[in-house]
Amino acid sequence: MIGKILTGLQSNADATLIVPRAGKNGDTIVSELHGRKYEQTLRGYRFGVSNQAAVATTAGLATTFTGLAVANPAGSGRNLVIERFSYANTVAVPTACAIGLMTGAGAAAGALVPRNRLTGTASPATVATASAGATIATPVLEQIFSTHGTIATTGQGNGAPMVVDLEGSLIIPPGFFVASFTSAATTAAFIFSLEWEEVPIL
């Protein structure tokens, strides 16, 4: 059986049974009704966490870590699919540094509370733990995103938002963590955020 779809524009009233639309090359044409992440957010599978104040950071790959870390406990039954990483500095950074993400095995328990992106009291809880400072296993640098200089915030102007869309290309399985990376130690200058989707392991 060969499925057929109709080439060209259509103008259909509500409650009309229609044929899907195609382009002239035989491509099926679809469009988004809602925002791209609406469905999984509505189902309560998307979470995020941010430092609640600017934090000092340790030099990259240190096991006595400070920054922002999210861990997926062993046996959670879910993968953490990392979607966005963002950061901003509130004061001048004392030492120029590179900024990125690092990963490792083990826990990163802490007092930060991830939030379900479906806000409300009935939103499902995350399996993840989040920390602004923890003792972690030796991490590995996963990816570098930018560098940051030491210019005062008053001289930085209206800087572009530092938001990295990973599009789910980094997955944290049970028993592993992801954490912010700065190549040099800093004073309390940066605020970090991470956003992820939790996908059951089938």
Side-chain angles (χ1 to χ4, degrees):
M1 180 178 178
I2 300 176
K4 295 184 178 181
I5 53 181
L6 185 65
T7 303
L9 298 174
Q10 301 181 37
S11 178
N12 303 296
D14 286 345
T16 302
L17 294 175
I18 63 169
V19 177
R21 182 184 168 200
K24 291 185 176 181
N25 292 320
D27 45 322
T28 302
I29 296 176
V30 297
S31 61
E32 295 183 3
L33 174 62
H34 304 292
R36 186 161 57 93
K37 298 183 178 181
Y38 178 84
E39 177 74 15
Q40 291 298 77
T41 303
L42 182 65
R43 292 177 179 271
Y45 295 148
R46 185 164 283 108
F47 299 86
V49 69
S50 298
N51 296 114
Q52 298 302 295
V55 292
T57 66
T58 44
L61 311 185
T63 56
T64 52
F65 167 81
T66 56
L68 177 64
V70 172
N72 189 357
S76 71
R78 299 182 191 177
N79 283 325
L80 308 187
V81 183
I82 307 301
E83 294 184 338
R84 283 198 183 102
F85 171 59
S86 55
Y87 52 94
N89 65 302
T90 59
V91 297
V93 179
T95 305
C97 61
I99 300 170
L101 286 175
M102 56 189 185
T103 59
L112 291 178
V113 180
R115 290 180 55 80
N116 194 306
R117 301 288 285 185
L118 174 64
T119 58
T121 55
S123 300
T126 180
V127 297
T129 60
S131 176
T135 299
I136 58 176
T138 302
V140 174
L141 178 59
E142 196 72 44
Q143 193 169 357
I144 284 292
F145 302 119
S146 73
T147 57
H148 204 293
T150 58
I151 188 171
T153 52
T154 54
Q156 293 177 18
N158 226 354
M162 306 303 274
V163 180
V164 180
D165 193 345
L166 294 164
E167 299 182 335
S169 63
L170 178 61
I171 297 175
I172 309 302
F176 290 82
F177 67 84
V178 59
S180 60
F181 168 93
T182 57
S183 59
T186 70
T187 54
F190 285 111
I191 296 177
F192 300 102
S193 298
L194 277 164
E195 182 185 333
W196 66 94
E197 178 187 352
E198 295 188 2
V199 179
I201 300 172
L202 302 177

